[in-house]
């Protein structure tokens, strides 16, 4: 007799969520709401507002007091937001639309369709040039290298892209050469930057989020600081030092500079496995036996072609290369947070210039409570120190410094920065209504989030201003600034042009004859971070296994790191 089936087990009742779980879910809901608002602003072209909302989404998590890595659900949300924002930023990079600076394609990008059917005379010419090429790398020419030489020398697109790369190299060449010498690696390794970023410190890979001149991945530890304020992958000198140390490690591990280059592109483990599989510790044998991915096959000969052309520019049509002037700065080490807009005021330099000199900053302010090397225009370090001393340290992330013009009054300056004339006078130890004759500058006690004004403010554009920097200066959106001044697109503004930077209040009569003042669309949409170079989403640090030995840039400790391969990029 068949036994009756056992009764089904009772349904598993999930335990009620704990207080911690409810807190995490509430935080995720807030983050999703901020991200959705930023995405909506981005789609409407309201770029500063989008940036502020994206920053807020990340800030909510970073400032929550919850250990993100200990909460899988929150870690997933963090990674999701970062990936989504990165995708939008890369879209903006391609458009150069003010959300992020435009990044040019690298020679590697435009050479992806190179064929290697090269006439014998090109190979022979390159071999002849090689005999007089001075390099600290073991150079060689074959049909693969000659193919890239031909492309860069004779293709209009290839020639133009490599030309721009060589020109841009002038900004950092002296620094890179010094670091390479200090780290004991070949000087011509500088030309890996041709393939990686075309010497653009803010380059970001759309797929992998690899970033900086040397395209380090966003996870793994290379001796580079990454947090909510700073990403040193974008610091030209610090990332160069990490790159040199990593290349030295790869060479020590593989014993060959060509294999080390391939490993930088594809990963040391992959190259080692290819060597073990074939028994050949030789890049060209791995190439011929098809044991390398296509990108890595092109990577090494492309770099060798750039080195040979750089050593013989006249022979290959690059005799008219004019190097960009080197980046010269005064560096001030600070341990307090300062808003770049205040620093811009203090040294009388456009905000865009300070952002370019400090590409590792993810925000418009330096990090609080930690040391930071602030790069200022050459010759301005002393005046910065003198002027910043007059501003309380705790206020340097908000207050401003205004150079007095002949027609300035306490009231006009107060309106410009949306503070009261009484506050402005008290901060500067002046009497109410006192004239400003004889004063060089005023310290302006701006609140961390400037309040909107219902008065029209006119601003005269100065040399170096853009619509982005002006919108940021006054805490309004780029969209508002364009609308108020009937500027349909773009960020360029002619010096001397007078711009409305607040919409005029509208006075109308109500039925009861009472006067009502309105200022539609006057309130900025969270524009506190309107022109930040990059938001804190770049600062996600995730754990993972690593296997490459790298010494930190300060030489005090060693860590392990494994760059993601370019094939995975």
């Amino acid at each position: 007799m068949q036994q009756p089936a056992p009764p089904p087990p009772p349904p598993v009742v999930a335990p009620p969520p704990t207080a911690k779980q409810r807190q995490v879910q509430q935080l995720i809901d807030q983050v999703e709401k901020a991200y959705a608002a930023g995405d909506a602003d981005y789609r409407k072209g309201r770029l500063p507002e989008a940036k502020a909302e994206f920053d807020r989404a990340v800030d909510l998590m970073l400032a929550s007091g919850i250990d993100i890595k200990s909460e899988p659900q929150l870690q997933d949300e963090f990674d999701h937001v970062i990936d989504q924002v990165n995708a939008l930023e890369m879209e903006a990079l391609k458009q150069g639309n003010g959300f992020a600076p435009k990044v040019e394609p690298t020679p590697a990008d435009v050479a992806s369709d190179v064929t290697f059917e090269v006439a014998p005379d090109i190979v022979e010419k390159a071999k002849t040039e090689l005999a007089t090429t001075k390099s600290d790398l073991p150079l060689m020419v074959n049909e693969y290298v000659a193919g890239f030489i031909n492309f860069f020398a004779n293709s209009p697109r290839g020639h133009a892209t490599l030309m721009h790369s060589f020109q841009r190299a002038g900004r950092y060449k002296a620094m890179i050469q010094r670091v390479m010498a200090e780290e004991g690696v070949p000087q011509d390794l500088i030309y890996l930057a041709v393939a990686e970023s075309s010497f653009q410190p803010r380059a970001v890979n759309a797929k992998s989020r690899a970033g900086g001149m040397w395209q380090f991945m966003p996870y793994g530890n290379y001796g580079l600081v990454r947090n909510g304020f700073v990403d040193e992958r974008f610091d030209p000198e610090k990332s160069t030092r990490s790159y040199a140390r990593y290349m030295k490690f790869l060479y020590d591990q593989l014993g060959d500079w060509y294999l080390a280059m391939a490993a930088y592109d594809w990963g040391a483990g992959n190259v080692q496995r290819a060597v073990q599989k074939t028994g050949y510790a030789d890049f060209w044998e791995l190439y011929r036996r098809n044991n390398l991915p296509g990108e890595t096959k092109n990577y090494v000969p492309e770099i060798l072609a750039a080195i040979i052309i750089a050593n013989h520019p006249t022979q290959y049509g690059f005799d008219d290369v004019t190097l960009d002037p080197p980046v010269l700065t005064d560096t001030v080490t600070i341990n307090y947070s300062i808003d770049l807009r205040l620093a811009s005021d203090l040294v009388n330099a456009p905000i865009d210039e300070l952002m370019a000199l400090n590409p590792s900053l993810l925000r418009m302010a330096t990090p609080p409570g930690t040391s930071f090397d602030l790069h200022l225009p050459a010759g301005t370090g002393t005046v910065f120190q003198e002027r910043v001393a007059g501003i309380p340290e705790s206020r340097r992330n908000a207050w401003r410094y205004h150079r007095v013009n002949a027609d300035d009054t306490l009231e006009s300056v107060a309106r410009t920065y949306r503070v009261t004339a009484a506050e402005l006078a008290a901060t500067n130890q002046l009497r109410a209504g006192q004239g400003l004759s004889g004063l060089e500058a005023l310290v302006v006690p701006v609140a961390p989030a400037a309040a909107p004004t219902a008065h029209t403010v006119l601003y005269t554009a100065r040399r170096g201003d853009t619509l982005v920097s002006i919108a940021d200066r006054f805490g309004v959106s780029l969209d508002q600034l364009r609308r108020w001044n009937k500027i349909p697109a773009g960020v360029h503004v002619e010096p001397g042009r007078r711009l409305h930077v607040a919409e005029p209040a509208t006075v109308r009569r109500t039925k009861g004859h009472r006067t009502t003042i309105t200022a539609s669309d006057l309130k900025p949409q969270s524009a506190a971070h309107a022109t930040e170079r990059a938001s804190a989403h770049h600062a996600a640090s995730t754990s993972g296994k690593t296997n490459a030995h790298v010494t930190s840039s300060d030489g005090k400790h060693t860590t392990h790191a494994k760059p993601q391969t370019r094939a995975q990029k």
Side-chain angles (χ1 to χ4, degrees):
M1 181 176 179
Q2 187 176 5
Q3 297 292 326
V12 178
V13 179
T18 65
K20 184 66 170 292
Q21 290 171 330
R22 289 195 298 271
Q23 183 186 10
V24 168
Q25 186 57 54
Q26 184 180 20
L27 177 59
I28 289 174
D29 293 342
Q30 293 173 339
V31 170
E32 286 289 337
K33 184 177 180 180
Y35 173 80
D39 185 65
D41 283 331
Y42 184 90
R43 302 302 172 190
K44 295 176 183 177
R46 299 162 61 89
L47 304 179
E49 292 88 340
K51 205 162 202 20
E53 290 294 346
F54 291 149
D55 284 345
R56 190 164 72 86
V58 177
D59 285 344
L60 283 168
M61 289 183 279
L62 294 177
S64 65
I66 302 174
D67 182 358
I68 294 175
K69 293 181 181 179
S70 69
E71 296 291 337
Q73 188 180 5
L74 191 56
Q75 180 71 66
D76 289 345
E77 178 69 12
F78 194 90
D79 293 341
H80 167 71
V81 169
I82 287 167
D83 288 342
Q84 293 299 314
V85 175
N86 245 348
L88 294 178
E89 179 167 279
M90 284 313 304
E91 182 181 329
L93 283 171
K94 294 176 182 177
Q95 298 172 5
N97 58 12
F99 186 66
K102 189 173 183 179
V103 173
E104 295 183 15
T106 69
D109 295 330
V110 302
S112 58
D113 56 351
V114 172
T115 60
F116 295 104
E117 297 178 2
V118 181
D121 61 314
I122 295 177
V123 177
E124 291 307 313
K125 177 184 177 184
K127 287 182 177 179
T128 301
E129 303 294 354
L130 187 62
T132 58
T133 299
K134 294 181 180 179
S135 175
D136 46 9
L137 284 174
L139 301 182
M140 69 168 295
V141 172
N142 54 25
E143 63 270 27
Y144 312 124
V145 177
F148 279 98
I149 292 176
N150 182 47
F151 176 74
F152 291 137
N154 299 315
S155 160
R157 190 176 182 210
H159 187 278
T161 307
L162 188 60
M163 173 80 78
H164 292 163
S165 188
F166 284 164
Q167 289 171 337
R168 197 178 294 110
R171 304 176 192 176
Y172 309 106
K173 190 172 185 179
M175 177 273 291
I176 295 174
Q177 288 174 332
R178 171 177 55 81
V179 172
M180 296 290 195
E182 292 170 355
E183 297 300 330
V185 296
Q187 289 284 314
D188 275 341
L189 285 178
I190 184 177
Y191 293 105
L192 263 74
V194 168
E196 293 291 347
S197 68
S198 198
F199 294 95
Q200 297 174 96
R202 289 291 311 180
V204 178
N205 185 286
K207 295 180 181 178
S208 68
R209 294 184 288 125
M213 192 183 300
W214 306 105
Q215 290 292 283
F216 284 110
M217 292 298 292
Y219 42 82
N221 192 328
Y222 310 94
L224 298 172
V225 173
R226 299 186 65 245
N227 55 43
F229 284 83
V230 172
D231 189 335
E232 289 183 348
R233 294 182 301 156
F234 303 121
D235 184 292
E237 180 163 351
K238 291 180 178 179
S239 66
T240 295
R241 193 168 299 280
S242 289
Y243 157 72
R245 290 176 176 176
Y246 187 67
M247 284 301 298
K248 188 174 182 179
F249 162 77
L250 290 175
Y251 176 77
D252 291 342
Q253 189 177 42
L254 298 168
D256 179 90
W257 283 116
Y258 291 176
L259 292 179
M261 287 187 232
Y264 192 83
D265 180 67
W266 190 32
N270 290 325
V271 171
Q272 287 173 329
R273 283 187 286 273
V275 169
Q276 292 167 357
K277 178 180 178 181
T278 63
Y280 288 96
D282 178 88
F283 173 81
W284 301 113
E285 278 296 332
L286 298 180
Y287 189 116
R288 284 187 284 268
R289 292 170 180 271
N290 204 31
N291 287 108
L292 299 169
E295 183 180 283
T296 307
K297 282 184 174 182
N298 289 343
Y299 188 73
V300 173
E302 174 193 353
I303 294 165
L304 296 180
I307 294 172
I308 292 169
I309 292 173
N311 278 278
H312 299 279
T314 302
Q315 288 87 327
Y316 295 104
F318 288 82
D319 50 314
D320 57 345
V321 173
T322 301
L323 298 181
D324 288 351
V327 176
L328 301 176
T329 66
D330 282 2
T331 300
V332 178
T333 302
I334 60 176
N335 56 8
Y336 52 81
S337 180
I338 184 170
D339 193 298
L340 285 189
R341 287 162 289 199
L342 173 58
S344 169
D345 297 339
L346 295 173
V347 301
N348 194 25
I351 186 68
D352 298 9
E353 182 178 356
L354 285 190
M355 293 166 68
L357 292 179
N358 296 275
S360 68
L361 281 179
L362 303 179
R363 302 169 180 268
M364 285 292 290
T366 64
T370 187
S371 177
F372 181 80
D373 292 334
L374 178 65
H375 301 297
L376 303 168
T380 64
T382 300
V383 71
F384 171 85
Q385 295 282 44
E386 292 172 349
R387 290 174 175 173
V388 79
I391 299 175
E393 187 173 305
S394 62
R395 305 296 186 183
R396 292 173 187 171
N397 62 351
W399 284 15
R400 302 292 294 274
Y401 181 90
H402 176 83
R403 281 174 297 282
V404 174
N405 299 311
D407 56 349
D408 280 344
T409 64
L410 278 173
E411 289 73 17
S412 68
V413 174
R415 283 197 302 271
T416 297
Y417 293 94
R418 295 188 297 281
V419 300
T420 68
E423 289 175 314
L424 184 62
T427 300
N428 292 274
Q429 300 179 342
L430 300 173
R431 299 186 308 276
Q434 181 177 338
L436 304 181
S437 177
L439 290 179
E440 177 186 353
L442 294 171
V443 173
V444 186
V446 178
T453 176
H455 299 283
T456 302
V457 176
L458 290 175
Y459 174 76
T460 303
R462 297 178 292 186
R463 184 178 63 85
D465 279 343
T466 66
L467 292 182
V468 173
S469 64
I470 294 170
D472 176 76
R473 177 180 294 271
F474 291 95
V476 300
S477 76
L478 180 61
D479 179 67
Q480 288 171 316
L481 191 61
R482 285 174 176 158
R483 185 171 70 251
W484 297 335
N485 294 279
K486 296 180 173 58
I487 301 173
V491 298
H492 177 71
V493 61
E494 292 292 335
R497 176 168 179 174
R498 291 173 64 81
L499 298 170
H500 291 279
V501 292
E503 188 173 36
T506 301
V507 180
R508 66 171 182 263
R509 293 285 178 178
T510 65
K511 290 183 179 179
H513 303 289
R514 296 169 66 182
T515 302
T516 304
I517 300 178
T518 65
S520 60
D521 298 323
L522 182 61
K523 185 176 181 180
Q525 300 295 316
S526 228
H529 302 298
T531 59
E532 291 175 11
R533 172 56 220 102
S535 44
H537 58 269
H538 279 304
S541 294
T542 59
S543 59
K545 294 183 180 179
T546 58
N547 69 352
H549 183 79
V550 181
T551 304
S552 72
S553 58
D554 60 10
K556 295 179 180 177
H557 65 277
T558 58
T559 57
H560 293 274
K562 178 181 178 180
Q564 190 77 343
T565 67
R566 287 177 61 87
Q568 291 170 295
K569 293 178 188 177

